[in-house]
Amino acid sequence: MKKLVSVSILSADFLNLKEELDKVKDSGADMIHFDVMDGIFVNNISFGFPVLKAVDQYSDMCLDVHLMIADPLKYIGQCAANGADIITFHIESAGNTDDTIKTIKKANAKVGLSIKPDTPFEDVIPYLDKIDLLLIMTVEPGFGGQSFITDTLKKIHTAKKYISEHNLDVKIQVDGGINAETAALAGNAGADIMVAGSYIFKSKNLQDAVASLTGEQ
């Protein structure tokens, strides 16, 4: 089955963002991945909501927003109001996980829940019947360009097996160190959606790079 691709614009050229968004749309990618970092939950700061709003106003692609912030519940409303179609937050963040899920649903966005490489899959089991997407980080969150952590393949496989056995409608997304080689490994383990930034934007041909992640090239 063809895998979906969500292109992380954290690696885009922000002096030419319109042109970069046009390239992403023409590449055949399925989503735009938008990382929000607060410098607290992770040791980096990325975009705020004005940038999200601008991207949403310019592009009609699905906006896949990943909140790497300490208190996601506080910002769900702003996130949805500025164009997020999917809102993913970390189970390791502060606040009540159930309340955050409910708030995302009330905002008419799809719910994603993310876990870091060292977080056991069992921690997300109580929430799998309430979410649309499980993001398994394949690097430590916070910075682009890191190498894929191969130990996460076991977690992807375990998650896929559990989701299938319980007939849950949950997509598995992977993010971190994704290229043609690691996408094949993650896809074989059960991942449905590949997030890639550096690999795609550093490629000479974005369309070929995206195709190499789908499993159909």
Side-chain angles (χ1 to χ4, degrees):
M1 184 178 294
K2 179 184 176 182
K3 306 302 181 181
L4 303 181
V5 177
S6 189
V7 179
S8 174
I9 60 167
L10 187 65
S11 300
D13 175 3
F14 274 82
L15 287 178
N16 299 285
L17 186 55
K18 281 187 177 181
E19 290 82 356
E20 297 281 69
L21 291 171
D22 288 339
K23 289 178 184 177
V24 170
K25 184 172 183 178
D26 293 341
S27 73
D30 304 281
M31 311 173 189
I32 294 170
H33 193 79
F34 191 94
D35 289 308
V36 180
M37 309 179 197
D38 62 0
I40 301 170
F41 184 74
V42 293
N43 293 322
N44 199 7
I45 296 174
S46 61
F47 328 110
F49 295 118
V51 181
L52 178 63
K53 182 178 181 180
V55 171
D56 178 58
Q57 289 177 337
Y58 184 74
S59 176
D60 61 359
M61 291 183 69
C62 174
L63 267 175
D64 168 30
V65 178
H66 178 195
L67 300 179
M68 287 175 270
I69 61 179
D71 188 8
L73 182 59
K74 185 177 178 181
Y75 298 99
I76 297 303
Q78 282 179 273
C79 198
N82 285 287
D85 298 299
I86 304 168
I87 302 175
T88 299
F89 70 101
H90 274 263
I91 194 169
E92 303 93 352
S93 61
N96 184 280
T97 301
D98 276 314
D99 287 347
T100 306
I101 290 171
K102 290 175 184 176
T103 303
I104 294 172
K105 288 184 176 180
K106 286 180 182 177
N108 294 316
K110 289 188 175 181
V111 182
L113 186 60
S114 183
I115 50 176
K116 295 180 181 181
D118 289 338
T119 300
F121 166 70
E122 288 72 21
D123 286 10
V124 302
I125 287 177
Y127 310 104
L128 285 177
D129 61 343
K130 306 170 186 176
I131 65 175
D132 303 289
L133 181 149
L134 174 64
L135 169 53
I136 296 176
M137 293 299 300
T138 46
V139 299
E140 286 298 328
F143 294 91
Q146 297 181 62
S147 296
F148 185 91
I149 300 172
T150 55
D151 281 352
T152 59
L153 292 170
K154 299 173 187 175
K155 188 184 300 181
I156 297 166
H157 177 76
T158 300
K160 189 67 172 184
K161 186 172 183 286
Y162 185 96
I163 288 168
S164 297
E165 288 177 347
H166 291 79
N167 296 313
L168 299 173
D169 187 15
V170 179
K171 297 292 186 185
I172 297 175
Q173 185 179 75
V174 289
D175 183 3
I178 299 297
N179 54 38
E181 180 182 354
T182 56
L185 294 172
N188 288 336
D192 305 295
I193 306 170
M194 311 297 170
V195 177
S198 302
Y199 171 71
I200 290 175
F201 284 110
K202 289 180 179 178
S203 299
K204 292 181 180 179
N205 186 305
L206 268 68
Q207 190 170 6
D208 287 346
V210 168
S212 74
L213 304 179
T214 64
E216 288 199 336
Q217 191 183 54

